[in-house]
């Protein structure tokens, strides 16, 4: 196990107030049912941002709580790494809006695109910046307004996603007393040959906005659900193994598994593979749906708030998303 170089000093979340239940789809004319959604995914409700409620706004709420819990001021942030698949605009980044909102005058700020794995990618980048001496304090955010990119006419995808943001403050581990506190291992992978199984084909630089893009609705999320499901189960299992190996731990050493919240069946398969009983697995997909890169930091913040994650807790975090990308991390708090 490597000596931890960075630790989580504080967490926060920013969740839209508006809740949409499975029953609310009927009013939109979508042919689905509460029972179908619960049985296939475990989702009961999700939060949906109002039109003026942006990815940056949700991020700012999450960031302010995380900074307060960490005892860090905006002026102390050296970098803001913001993972999102739903930036408020394409240029410049949502991270710079957040930088301005917080008044983080010394911070570098940039967006990161790794879909649902983005928060763990961001944490790994933040740790690297701290390890190389580029930064002492990094704000890592996962924030998504998925409701703005799902096709509300496609029942196979629109029932799955939700909006929200989560944040963590990473700081340099100091001294010898808390040497075991922090990120114990990291793992990241990708496979772009499978990009078309979960993507937004139109509206980017390859096919800029035009009538065809609008007619084909190709700027919305398209997903081959079954194939994504199979890859997610396989990749999250690999990611668990690699993070545990890296930390020289087994599933028995893990106090809590914090998986990406896409589907309760994927979560159960992941836990089973890692030999972690379900009473040590955090599930909140029933209340949030899939919030992509926000799902892990939202879950982490809830766990901190309820006292499940506290000093000494060893957590395994694991994610899978479009790309495909997958990632994992063991953190001792
Ligand atoms: N309500 C009712 N019926 C529906 C709905 C719906 N919302 N959506 C699809 N169906 C129908 C389909 O049309 C199909 O009908 P048919 O048999 O008459 O053709 C039937 O249900 C079965 O469809 P499948 O897609 O085969 O259903 P499946 O059991 O695979 O469940 C699901 C679909 C829930 C999407 C599942 O494949 C899944 O969870 N996949 C992984 C998705 C995921 O997690 N994505 C995100 C991971 S990566 C990330 O987070 C970005």
């Amino acid at each position: 196990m490597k000596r931890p170089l960075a630790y989580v000093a504080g967490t926060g979340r920013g969740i839209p107030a508006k809740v949409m239940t499975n029953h609310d789809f009927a009013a939109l004319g979508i042919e689905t049912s509460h029972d179908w959604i619960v049985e296939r995914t475990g989702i009961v409700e999700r939060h949906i941002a109002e039109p003026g409620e942006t990815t940056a706004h949700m991020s700012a709420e999450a960031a302010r709580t995380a900074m307060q819990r960490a005892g860090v001021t905006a002026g102390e942030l050296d970098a803001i790494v913001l993972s999102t698949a739903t930036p408020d605009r394409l240029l410049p980044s949502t991270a710079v809006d957040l930088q301005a909102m917080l008044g983080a005058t010394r911070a570098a700020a940039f967006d990161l695109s790794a879909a649902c794995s983005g928060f763990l990618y961001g944490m790994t980048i933040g740790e690297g910046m701290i390890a190389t001496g580029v930064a002492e304090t990094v704000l890592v955010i996962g924030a998504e307004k998925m409701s703005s990119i799902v096709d509300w006419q496609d029942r196979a995808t629109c029932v799955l996603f939700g909006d929200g943001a989560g944040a963590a403050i990473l700081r340099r581990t100091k001294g010898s007393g808390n040497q075991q506190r922090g990120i114990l291992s990291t793992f990241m992978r990708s496979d772009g040959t499978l990009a078309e199984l979960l993507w937004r084909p139109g509206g980017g630089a390859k096919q800029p906005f035009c009538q065809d893009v609008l007619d084909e609705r190709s700027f919305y999320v398209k997903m081959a659900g079954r194939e994504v499901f199979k890859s997610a189960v396989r990749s999250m299992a690999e990611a668990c193994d690699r993070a545990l190996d890296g930390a020289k731990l087994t599933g028995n050493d893990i106090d809590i598994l914090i998986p990406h919240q896409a589907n309760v069946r994927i979560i159960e398969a992941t836990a089973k593979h890692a030999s972690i009983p379900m009473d040590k697995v955090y599930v909140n997909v029933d209340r949030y749906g899939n919030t992509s890169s926000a799902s892990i930091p939202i879950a982490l913040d809830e766990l901190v708030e309820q006292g499940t994650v506290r000093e000494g807790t060893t957590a395994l975090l694991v994610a899978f998303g479009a790309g495909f990308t997958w990632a994992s991390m063991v953190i001792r708090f």
Side-chain angles (χ1 to χ4, degrees):
M1 185 183 359
K2 72 184 176 68
R3 192 175 70 82
L5 301 165
Y7 71 98
V8 176
T11 61
R13 64 185 189 274
I15 309 297
K18 185 177 162 189
V19 172
M20 182 179 184
T21 72
N22 291 343
H23 299 289
D24 294 333
F25 287 100
L28 301 176
I30 292 164
E31 260 185 66
T32 187
S33 69
H34 171 75
D35 290 348
W36 190 96
I37 300 170
V38 170
E39 189 190 310
R40 306 285 173 121
T41 70
I43 299 165
V44 174
E45 59 187 33
R46 67 290 288 143
H47 292 255
I48 300 291
E50 299 288 356
E53 210 171 355
T54 66
T55 300
H57 283 122
M58 293 185 282
S59 302
E61 192 184 337
R64 288 192 179 109
T65 306
M67 291 193 303
Q68 196 221 332
R69 291 218 179 109
V72 163
T73 62
E76 290 175 271
L77 297 179
D78 298 307
I80 297 171
V81 184
L82 190 152
S83 165
T84 189
T86 53
D88 289 327
R89 54 167 185 255
L90 296 183
L91 184 78
S93 67
T94 301
V96 296
D97 284 346
L98 178 60
Q99 179 274 334
M101 284 175 175
L102 297 178
T105 49
R106 292 177 53 252
F110 61 94
D111 286 1
L112 161 66
S113 174
C116 306
S117 309
F119 179 74
L120 296 186
Y121 270 57
M123 291 282 280
T124 306
I125 291 170
E127 183 202 31
M129 294 173 92
I130 288 169
T132 54
V134 171
E136 287 280 326
T137 306
V138 180
L139 169 61
V140 183
I141 302 265
E144 307 287 0
K145 190 170 173 175
M146 295 302 289
S147 60
S148 69
I149 63 164
V150 296
D151 187 343
W152 288 95
Q153 294 178 10
D154 176 13
R155 67 177 183 174
T157 51
C158 73
V159 302
L160 302 175
F161 296 96
D163 300 335
I169 299 284
L170 273 185
R171 303 205 89 179
R172 181 187 301 280
T173 301
K174 287 195 178 108
S176 55
N178 57 357
Q179 271 185 1
Q180 292 310 307
R181 177 187 183 196
I183 296 174
L184 303 185
S185 68
T186 59
F187 171 74
M188 298 190 288
R189 280 290 185 279
S190 64
D191 184 356
T193 65
L194 301 174
E196 296 182 10
L197 294 177
L198 178 49
W199 66 331
R200 295 175 69 198
K206 189 173 178 183
Q207 191 189 15
F209 258 101
C210 60
Q211 196 57 45
D212 282 352
V213 169
L214 289 171
D215 293 345
E216 290 158 15
R217 307 178 73 77
S218 64
F219 51 100
Y220 287 127
V221 171
K222 314 274 178 205
M223 182 175 71
R226 235 170 232 185
E227 286 73 14
V228 173
F229 190 99
K230 283 186 234 153
S231 290
V233 169
R234 198 169 43 240
S235 302
M236 284 172 77
E238 181 201 6
C240 286
D241 291 346
R242 298 298 293 267
L244 288 172
D245 288 350
K248 300 214 179 339
L249 298 175
T250 69
N252 288 335
D253 302 309
I254 297 300
D255 299 311
I256 185 91
L257 173 65
I258 310 174
H260 170 51
Q261 307 282 320
N263 180 311
V264 82
R265 292 184 294 150
I266 298 175
I267 293 172
E268 284 166 355
T270 304
K272 190 171 173 206
H273 175 86
S275 303
I276 297 174
M278 280 306 286
D279 62 351
K280 289 185 170 183
V281 180
Y282 196 61
V283 178
N284 66 7
V285 69
D286 52 327
R287 291 180 284 118
Y288 290 103
N290 181 347
T291 58
S292 190
S293 69
S295 88
I296 288 181
I298 290 172
L300 177 58
D301 187 53
E302 289 190 336
L303 286 162
V304 168
E305 208 167 70
Q306 47 178 255
T308 306
V309 167
R310 53 186 182 272
E311 210 173 310
T313 299
T314 304
L316 171 59
L317 290 63
V318 58
F320 173 84
F324 292 144
T325 59
W326 57 107
S328 55
M329 177 171 280
V330 174
I331 306 178
R332 182 156 301 141
F333 288 85

